Amino acid sequence: MKNTIRYFYILEILVIVGLLILILKPSVPTARQYVEPSVTPREREWDPMVAEDTLFDLVQKFRLENNLSPYIKSDFLCSIAQTRLQEIQQEFSHKQFIAARFCQNCTLSENLSRGYNSDQLVLDQWLASPSHSEILHRNYTHSCIKIDNIHVVQIFGYY
């Protein structure tokens, strides 16, 4: 009889501990759902010059909402973004992005996107990707975005 009582006592403790773990478990933020492009490139109609400013503003708003410093728009990074925009029109890949190719004494990163029909979807897609989101959360000081009708390039740096 004593063993049965001891068994139920231990079982009761395990259940209570399990419930406490479930209740007190710290919540882990999950990445946003990846959003597939909803349009083909030909359906995407936007003015790239307006879209560049709008997306840059959305990124700045995101950074401020997350207690991160806003970026300084950099003509130097804009020239790199324009070069990368032309390159990804031929081959959509991060392979050609080698920071040392553009400067020796700076740290650079890039986010790419294609096929999305709104600035918000581009930002959502970057935030849904752990590697792209991580770049948006880094303490880069400068940035620039370049867009054509299909592709988006954002270059980040501090120097």
Side-chain angles (χ1 to χ4, degrees), residues 21 36-37 60 83 97 103 107 119 127 141 147 149-150 153:
I21 289 172
E36 279 293 325
Q60 297 286 57
T83 299
F97 183 73
C103 69
T107 301
D119 304 307
L127 292 172
T141 55
I147 297 175
N149 287 330
I150 301 169
V153 176

Side-chain angles (χ1 to χ4, degrees), residues 50-117:
V50 172
E52 289 170 4
D53 291 337
T54 304
L55 181 54
F56 194 81
D57 290 345
L58 284 172
V59 170
Q60 297 286 57
K61 180 181 176 197
F62 162 79
R63 288 186 56 84
L64 290 171
E65 288 172 351
N66 287 277
N67 297 317
L68 299 166
S69 298
Y71 297 121
I72 299 166
K73 191 168 184 179
S74 163
D75 289 339
F76 173 63
L77 296 183
C78 286
S79 68
I80 296 171
Q82 187 62 46
T83 299
R84 289 295 294 136
L85 187 62
Q86 293 167 355
E87 291 172 350
I88 66 170
Q89 290 168 354
Q90 303 304 312
E91 179 184 356
F92 187 78
S93 169
H94 290 287
K95 287 190 306 186
Q96 296 172 318
F97 183 73
I98 301 168
R101 184 176 133 212
F102 298 106
C103 69
Q104 300 298 317
N105 298 316
C106 62
T107 301
L108 303 176
S109 289
E110 76 175 350
N111 278 348
L112 304 178
S113 182
R114 74 172 167 189
Y116 290 87
N117 64 350

Side-chain angles (χ1 to χ4, degrees), residues 142-157:
H142 295 74
S143 184
C144 185
I145 296 174
K146 289 293 177 183
I147 297 175
D148 66 12
N149 287 330
I150 301 169
H151 304 92
V152 179
V153 176
Q154 183 169 19
I155 303 293
F156 308 85

